[in-house]
Amino acid sequence: MRLLILCLPLAAALHAQDGTEFQSTLRRLFAAGEFKAKTFGPARWMDFGNAYTTVEDGAIVRYHTASGRRDVLVSAAALTPPGRTKPLEIADYSWSNDGTRLLLFTNTRKVWRQNTRGDYWILERGSGKLRQLGGGAPEASLMFAKFSPDGRFAAYVRENNIYLENVENNKIRALTGDGSETIINGTSDWVYEEEFNLRDGFRWSPDGKHIAYWRFDTSPVGRFPLVNQTGSLYPVVRWFPYPKVGTANSLISINVVDVASRATKKMDAAGEYIPRIEWCGPTELALQIMNRLQNRNDVLLAGVASGRTRRVFTDEDKAWVDVMDEMRWLHDNTAFIFLSERDGWRRAYVISRDGKHVRPATPPGADVIDLVEVDSEEKWLYYLASPGNATERYLFRARLDGSNKAERLTPRNEPGTHTYAIAPNGEWAFHTRSAFDMPPVTDLVRLPKHVLVRTLEDNHALREAAAALLRQPVEFFRLDIGGGVVLDGWMLKPLDFQPSRKYPLLMHVYGEPASVTAVDQWGGARSLFHRLLANQGYIVASVDNRGTPAPKGREWRKVIYGSVGVLSSREQAAAVRALLAQRPYLDAGRVAVWGWSGGGSNTLNLMFRSPELYKVGMAVAPVPDQTLYDTIYQERYMGLPEENAAGYREGSPIHFAEGLRGNLLIVHGTGDDNVHYPGTERLINRLVELGKPFDMMAYPNRTHSISEGEGTSLHVYSLLARYLMEHLPPTR
């Protein structure tokens, strides 16, 4: 192993490529924040969509939607606590239903991935009184505070228990009392947060009389240690429950507590996973229950008084099924909308409450990428899709009357990726558009004609800063790799590109079922990093193999089942061979690959399985052995290890390390709670055993993002750039 010594200035290593300017641009990208996109908001629709509020200069301001008339609803002075000189820094806010109270989230802290813990304040608009929730609780210790429907109470989570606070007299009552290191009420364990995106773990009933919540008993789960060896004289160990493939998960129950009496009822819901619950009326809950294989998702309705449940719908697949993030309820809760791939495409279905009537609401032969909104009259379903081009995202609407007719609302002269936050009345939307070569712009538009009313955030400063890097436009392409398989991809070329020259090729890879790379949207600092490398003399490209979540139908996505790592590395290598054959300016003797997380795993697989093709690989935070990853993600796509032992072995790069011939860099954070550092240590042992030279960089106590601490992101990307240029120079 050659341990990288990183004390030399980057400029010294990149002298031939004008390293001083290169390093300066890297610093602007990853340290100075000059290229960070601004977002509009946080914004909230008011008065059914006829007005909206947002945060400006520490105040809450209101705009009349049609006219743009602005008034200060809550001044910065009103949001300044007594004894302080500055207003609260607002991370998020919400209004009580009657608009008389304002709930503010501030002083936030990261738990695992997101800042879900902090302080909450309430402003009484009538009196102007501003006070903090929690009754003297420790700083930044409250989570997910929410008003009751009548606005008289706020419920929140603290130290794994749910509390109820009367906002009129400040009295606090605990609604649960058994929260501990192993019992979690009202929020989630690690694996549910990571893989089911569940953080806020309680729900008010529509009448405010009950709260439904998740209860996790993590005692059966194996504990994993995160060891901090740099913060004190002796190492500090933090243990947390992490269920590895084939091991026990948390024991889950769904409970409903009466907020007046504190009487609690456990719902009769048996299943390995309960990823979603929601109210479908004041007396019933809708639950999604999944088996261990995650190939069956049962929708149950539970009576809160009896706890008894009845099944009304089942979504099944031979591979896996996805969780429905939010079931949209229609017609006074007599029907709901559910996404399913039951006919080979992800379509929206309207399902009666008793489950007896199921009919599609969106057209056949096309995937719904995401549901956006249902209009207040329940005539239209708004959703994102892109039937003709999997690299783009547009707004469509379909009638809910079963006609299966859809209408594209995003103008056809606006390519790229589009997202929307539609007003309750369906007449207005906050529309954010971006493209690979265009930073995000947020507009107010009027629907259904998609008429631009005003621009809310144009990121002018970012466009100016990035202009020099954006002069060479991206090329999107479709690549036939044989066998009837056509992949989408993008390519970046140097500013002074000459087709008569030979250029080294750098492939950026992900390739797993969790994400796509070939999307026409603004990619932030990483995308600009690729442009910076291109301008040094590289061709940089990326393609999405089958098995990635592109809107190309069920068969495209689920062909990877049971063979994660095998199919992806085969098709990624085939894509490189096809590019080399088609484009004479690519140098077949100078091909590199890099990726992060699942992309790091695929980088290892490509270096080990196709050593004749790849000369340099940079694997960041990889999973060398799939049996070391968590239950929910890995078993979803690979099945159970006892039933697919061969698949787990074939997909894990550690078992093919003897194939390594090129230059390999492995990068990992020792504090990675997601993809654990010991997996990389196992790979190191294997490479040492085989006598394979490689390079490695460990970042102490950094998590999966390797971003914590001053200078870390700059250091990581400087390392990647230097390694590439040292081992695969842009010029011969």
Side-chain angles (χ1 to χ4, degrees):
M1 178 178 66
R2 301 189 301 272
L3 184 65
L4 292 181
I5 306 301
L6 299 173
C7 57
L8 296 176
L10 180 65
L14 305 182
H15 178 73
Q17 292 81 33
D18 190 13
T20 302
E21 181 181 352
F22 187 94
Q23 185 180 25
S24 174
T25 306
L26 277 178
R27 185 172 298 279
R28 292 170 64 204
L29 273 173
F30 296 106
E34 290 184 39
F35 297 91
K36 186 176 181 180
K38 293 182 179 180
T39 58
F40 172 69
R44 299 288 181 272
W45 292 108
M46 297 186 74
D47 188 22
F48 211 52
N50 293 314
Y52 59 89
T53 61
T54 189
V55 179
E56 293 180 2
D57 300 323
I60 305 289
V61 298
R62 176 176 56 193
Y63 285 87
H64 183 266
T65 308
S67 68
R69 187 181 69 248
R70 176 186 184 274
D71 59 272
V72 177
L73 207 59
V74 182
S75 69
L79 297 177
T80 303
R84 301 191 190 181
T85 58
K86 294 183 179 179
L88 296 169
E89 187 172 333
I90 301 171
D92 204 358
Y93 66 95
S94 60
W95 299 98
S96 61
N97 284 339
D98 62 5
T100 62
R101 293 188 171 104
L102 178 64
L103 179 63
L104 304 157
F105 184 39
T106 185
N107 191 29
T108 66
R109 302 285 192 276
K110 182 181 289 187
V111 175
W112 290 113
R113 296 287 169 270
Q114 297 180 7
N115 288 32
T116 53
R117 186 165 51 84
D119 295 330
Y120 285 89
W121 295 71
I122 287 182
L123 175 73
E124 301 280 353
R125 290 186 62 199
S127 65
K129 181 180 179 181
L130 180 68
R131 69 172 188 82
Q132 188 172 355
L133 289 178
E139 181 185 11
S141 62
L142 273 57
M143 304 175 72
F144 314 120
K146 295 187 284 287
F147 281 123
S148 60
D150 62 8
R152 294 175 54 230
F153 297 92
Y156 48 79
V157 174
R158 181 166 69 86
E159 296 177 347
N160 290 339
N161 278 311
I162 302 173
Y163 291 85
L164 186 72
E165 184 163 345
N166 187 317
V167 300
E168 296 173 345
N169 60 24
N170 305 339
K171 290 184 178 180
I172 300 173
R173 289 188 297 128
L175 296 181
T176 64
D178 60 348
S180 65
E181 287 188 4
T182 58
I183 301 298
I184 302 172
N185 297 296
T187 182
S188 71
D189 68 355
W190 183 93
V191 74
Y192 265 60
E193 173 172 333
E194 177 66 25
E195 307 300 358
F196 284 143
N197 198 30
L198 177 67
R199 294 171 176 82
D200 178 354
F202 73 90
R203 308 283 185 267
W204 278 102
S205 65
D207 59 7
K209 295 181 179 180
H210 297 89
I211 288 177
Y213 64 94
W214 277 264
R215 181 183 185 273
F216 291 81
D217 178 357
T218 67
S219 56
V221 182
R223 263 51 179 173
F224 184 84
L226 295 176
V227 183
N228 183 340
Q229 302 194 78
T230 64
S232 57
L233 188 61
Y234 291 93
V236 174
V237 181
R238 178 188 181 188
W239 296 88
F240 72 101
Y242 183 105
K244 290 182 180 289
V245 163
T247 68
N249 286 301
S250 296
L251 301 174
I252 313 295
S253 64
I254 303 301
N255 295 344
V256 177
V257 58
D258 185 302
V259 298
S261 67
R262 291 185 57 192
T264 301
K265 187 71 176 179
K266 179 181 175 181
M267 300 296 100
D268 181 15
E272 186 71 27
Y273 302 116
I274 310 176
R276 297 289 183 269
I277 64 172
E278 57 193 83
W279 291 92
C280 52
T283 61
E284 278 196 315
L285 277 173
L287 299 82
Q288 295 182 51
I289 311 292
M290 302 184 79
N291 61 344
R292 178 80 182 226
L293 281 171
Q294 300 173 68
N295 59 11
R296 179 185 174 109
N297 186 1
D298 288 321
V299 177
L300 307 182
L301 298 188
V304 300
S306 66
R308 290 194 295 270
T309 60
R310 67 185 190 279
R311 182 170 60 88
V312 298
F313 179 71
T314 296
D315 194 25
E316 292 183 280
D317 194 284
K318 292 180 180 179
W320 71 86
V321 292
D322 295 317
V323 174
M324 181 67 193
D325 278 339
E326 183 184 358
M327 294 161 52
R328 308 296 178 99
W329 287 86
L330 307 171
H331 316 313
D332 295 325
N333 294 322
T334 61
F336 59 91
I337 297 175
F338 201 91
L339 291 178
S340 174
E341 295 176 331
R342 60 196 308 173
D343 74 345
W345 298 89
R346 186 189 296 121
R347 300 174 67 188
Y349 291 84
V350 177
I351 303 168
S352 62
R353 189 184 183 99
D354 60 11
K356 294 180 180 180
H357 302 284
V358 179
R359 60 173 173 80
T362 55
D367 283 318
V368 172
I369 297 172
D370 194 18
L371 297 183
V372 179
E373 192 59 80
V374 175
D375 74 311
S376 57
E377 296 181 354
E378 299 183 352
K379 292 182 178 180
W380 295 98
L381 170 66
Y382 295 83
Y383 62 97
L384 297 181
S386 186
N389 186 341
T391 70
E392 301 182 337
R393 307 289 185 265
Y394 303 115
L395 181 66
F396 287 75
R397 69 174 183 174
R399 288 192 177 275
L400 287 169
D401 59 8
S403 62
N404 281 336
K405 293 182 179 180
E407 173 187 2
R408 173 172 162 166
L409 301 186
T410 303
R412 295 191 177 275
N413 62 351
E414 293 186 11
T417 294
H418 302 256
T419 61
Y420 296 80
I422 298 177
N425 60 14
E427 296 182 13
W428 311 93
F430 302 131
H431 166 223
T432 300
R433 53 191 168 93
S434 78
F436 204 97
D437 296 333
M438 183 186 78
V441 174
T442 300
D443 298 321
L444 175 69
V445 297
R446 189 160 198 162
L447 299 177
K449 298 294 186 181
H450 210 282
V451 176
L452 172 64
V453 179
R454 71 185 72 95
T455 297
L456 305 172
E457 176 57 66
D458 65 0
N459 272 301
H460 176 77
L462 173 57
R463 291 204 314 274
E464 292 289 315
L469 291 172
L470 299 177
R471 282 182 290 165
Q472 177 72 275
V474 68
E475 174 195 347
F476 275 88
F477 59 84
R478 289 180 174 171
L479 185 65
D480 188 336
I481 62 170
V485 179
V486 178
L487 308 183
D488 286 297
W490 54 258
M491 179 177 287
L492 295 170
K493 298 174 182 175
L495 283 173
D496 59 352
F497 173 74
Q498 300 174 32
S500 60
R501 287 180 52 188
K502 288 284 189 179
Y503 294 90
L505 172 64
L506 172 64
M507 298 296 298
H508 178 233
V509 62
Y510 182 75
E512 291 209 354
S515 186
V516 289
T517 60
V519 182
D520 190 9
Q521 67 179 0
W522 183 250
R526 182 175 294 181
S527 180
L528 293 174
F529 171 70
H530 288 148
R531 288 182 179 275
L532 187 59
L533 291 175
N535 289 342
Q536 297 300 308
Y538 294 91
I539 302 291
V540 185
S542 186
V543 296
D544 280 328
N545 51 265
R546 288 182 298 167
T548 53
K552 295 184 174 184
R554 178 211 174 272
E555 292 303 316
W556 171 277
R557 291 185 288 274
K558 295 184 178 177
V559 67
I560 205 171
Y561 184 68
S563 62
V564 170
V566 180
L567 178 70
S568 55
S569 56
R570 185 167 63 240
E571 294 194 350
Q572 288 286 333
V576 169
R577 292 187 178 97
L579 285 172
L580 293 174
Q582 295 174 11
R583 304 192 180 217
Y585 50 81
L586 295 177
D587 189 341
R590 291 187 294 162
V591 178
V593 59
W594 91 277
W596 202 302
S597 191
S601 308
N602 271 311
T603 296
L604 294 176
N605 266 321
L606 291 166
M607 292 294 292
F608 298 164
R609 295 170 188 264
S610 301
E612 77 288 352
L613 192 59
Y614 298 93
K615 301 304 183 287
V616 174
M618 301 179 293
V620 184
V623 181
D625 187 340
Q626 293 179 10
T627 64
L628 301 180
Y629 201 51
D630 73 63
T631 52
I632 294 179
Y633 180 91
Q634 207 67 55
E635 293 175 4
R636 179 188 300 156
Y637 306 120
M638 290 294 294
L640 303 181
E642 61 268 25
E643 298 174 359
N644 187 24
Y648 275 87
R649 188 188 188 284
E650 289 298 309
S652 297
I654 194 170
H655 300 300
F656 300 88
E658 64 273 10
L660 177 63
R661 295 209 306 255
N663 292 285
L664 173 63
L665 169 65
I666 305 169
V667 181
H668 216 130
T670 68
D672 192 334
D673 59 282
N674 183 7
V675 177
H676 299 155
Y677 180 66
T680 283
E681 291 185 314
R682 290 194 185 191
L683 177 61
I684 290 171
N685 282 342
R686 179 59 177 154
L687 291 169
V688 170
E689 177 185 293
L690 292 166
K692 296 290 185 179
F694 64 98
D695 298 295
M696 186 259 176
M697 179 67 188
Y699 285 90
N701 308 315
R702 270 65 167 197
T703 66
H704 196 52
S705 65
I706 317 182
S707 59
E708 298 79 10
E710 184 176 354
T712 298
S713 293
L714 173 62
H715 201 279
V716 171
Y717 283 92
S718 298
L719 164 64
L720 297 175
R722 182 167 65 223
Y723 194 84
L724 176 68
M725 292 181 179
E726 286 179 347
H727 295 284
L728 201 74
T731 56
R732 285 192 182 276

